[in-house]
Amino acid sequence: LVSGVCAEEFNLETATAAAQKGDAKAQYYLARCYAHGNGVQQDYTKAAEHLRQAAGQGYAYAQTDLAALYTKGLGVKTDFQEAFKWYQKAAEQGDPLAQHGLGIAFFNGRGVAKDLNEAKKWWLKSAQQNQVEAQNDLGQLYFQGAAGGTNRVSDYEAAARWLRKAAEQGYVDSMNNLGFLYEHGFGVKKDYPEAVKWYRAAAENGNAKAQGNLGTLYEEGNGVPHDFVQAYVWFKLSASQGDPIGKHYVGDYLANERLTPGELNKAEKMVADFLARQAKTKIGPSK
């Protein structure tokens, strides 16, 4: 549950009393406490109960979070139609997370008929409020050519514009996606150093695809010096997260002895050091 901010004027005692009197903000506060286990034992069923009370009073943040519970089946039975209903109510009140969720529903056809133009419409509303996931999804929609409907005409410049907005806010998937555009010249002038910049930013934040992409640039010497050791390091890091491309290249390097024993030892140490730093700083793996 990530919508909104808990009202600071409440604590468990005051929120409970206010919620019993029908205060929607207090009901939402309690819902978040139960969802996150803050001061109480985590209980999604109770969280859903409080969210339902607040959502029924038109409280947008509660509507968004209730939709998320129905989408994920937390505290309630998974019900995409019910999720759609609550996302729609909150989205129409302008909540950017709900608008993003509504766009996902239209994109996937969950709880509503699939409609890419509606997905685009709601992602655009969310993205214009600086919601990074919507900016990333909208950028990919433009790249895939789905945003125009059945004719599927790509708009690479629009894709680059929205992906850059999310990447500059630190959204890791967008960093990798923007790097791809610079590597191949989609919507921007081909620029290997710029591709390296964005791939590295995503790779160092644990994005498996970006790690594999950066490995490829080192192997080919595009935007960086040709370096099999560095290439192997990034392929191995990508492979460690299960990425099939990373696994393929690691297998190829080992099978064909592309590194000397000394180089391989050096590369493996660099991998181990990176993973140790990652664990220490709790860098999350890619999605």
Side-chain angles (χ1 to χ4, degrees):
L1 302 184
V2 292
S3 290
V5 177
C6 288
E8 293 182 357
E9 66 265 28
F10 292 119
N11 57 39
L12 277 173
E13 183 179 352
T14 59
T16 299
Q20 290 173 346
K21 295 179 181 179
D23 188 310
K25 287 185 179 180
Q27 292 163 347
Y28 180 65
Y29 179 93
L30 288 178
R32 288 176 63 89
C33 288
Y34 278 109
H36 297 289
N38 292 335
V40 294
Q41 184 175 352
Q42 187 178 54
D43 188 330
Y44 282 113
T45 299
K46 289 185 178 180
E49 291 173 0
H50 288 296
L51 286 176
R52 196 176 289 108
Q53 292 170 351
Q57 297 189 66
Y59 197 64
Y61 293 150
Q63 292 171 340
T64 300
D65 280 355
L66 183 59
L69 292 190
Y70 276 113
T71 298
K72 300 173 182 177
L74 295 173
V76 293
K77 184 178 180 180
T78 300
D79 187 330
F80 293 125
Q81 289 184 331
E82 196 70 9
F84 176 83
K85 179 182 82 173
W86 291 111
Y87 273 139
Q88 186 175 43
K89 288 179 181 294
E92 289 174 349
Q93 294 191 65
D95 183 61
L97 287 175
Q99 291 168 343
H100 177 241
L102 192 61
I104 291 175
F106 276 114
F107 183 81
N108 292 317
R110 287 182 173 178
V112 67
K114 183 170 184 173
D115 189 326
L116 297 181
N117 284 324
E118 279 294 306
K120 173 191 173 184
K121 166 188 163 183
W122 288 105
W123 281 344
L124 181 59
K125 288 177 180 290
S126 181
Q128 288 172 335
Q129 295 192 66
N130 237 20
Q131 212 286 327
V132 292
E133 291 175 308
Q135 291 171 341
N136 181 69
D137 289 346
L138 186 61
Q140 292 194 83
L141 194 63
Y142 276 115
F143 179 83
Q144 294 164 0
T150 55
N151 59 0
R152 299 182 67 82
V153 177
S154 296
D155 186 338
Y156 296 134
E157 290 185 1
R161 184 168 62 252
W162 286 110
L163 290 174
R164 183 185 304 282
K165 287 180 180 292
E168 289 177 345
Q169 293 187 71
Y171 192 65
V172 177
D173 286 353
S174 292
M175 292 175 180
N176 175 64
N177 292 334
L178 186 59
F180 181 86
L181 297 190
Y182 274 110
E183 180 183 1
H184 298 282
F186 289 118
V188 292
K189 184 178 179 180
K190 183 182 287 190
D191 187 331
Y192 286 124
E194 195 71 9
V196 170
K197 166 189 165 182
W198 289 110
Y199 280 153
R200 189 182 303 281
E204 290 179 347
N205 276 280
N207 186 280
K209 291 182 179 179
Q211 290 168 345
N213 289 333
L214 186 56
T216 299
L217 293 187
Y218 271 110
E219 182 177 71
E220 297 173 350
N222 289 327
V224 288
H226 184 273
D227 190 329
F228 281 155
V229 171
Q230 283 286 341
Y232 178 87
V233 168
W234 292 109
F235 288 141
K236 183 66 178 287
L237 289 168
S238 177
S240 72
Q241 297 191 61
D243 185 75
I245 296 177
K247 286 183 175 181
H248 167 77
Y249 279 105
V250 168
D252 176 69
Y253 270 57
L254 295 176
N256 293 291
E257 298 182 343
R258 301 181 70 179
L259 298 177
T260 66
E263 289 173 334
L264 183 59
N265 287 337
K266 176 183 177 182
E268 292 289 2
K269 184 180 185 304
M270 292 171 69
V271 169
D273 289 345
F274 180 94
L275 293 175
R277 291 195 304 273
Q278 182 184 63
K280 186 175 181 179
T281 57
K282 298 182 180 180
I283 297 172
S286 61
K287 295 194 288 185

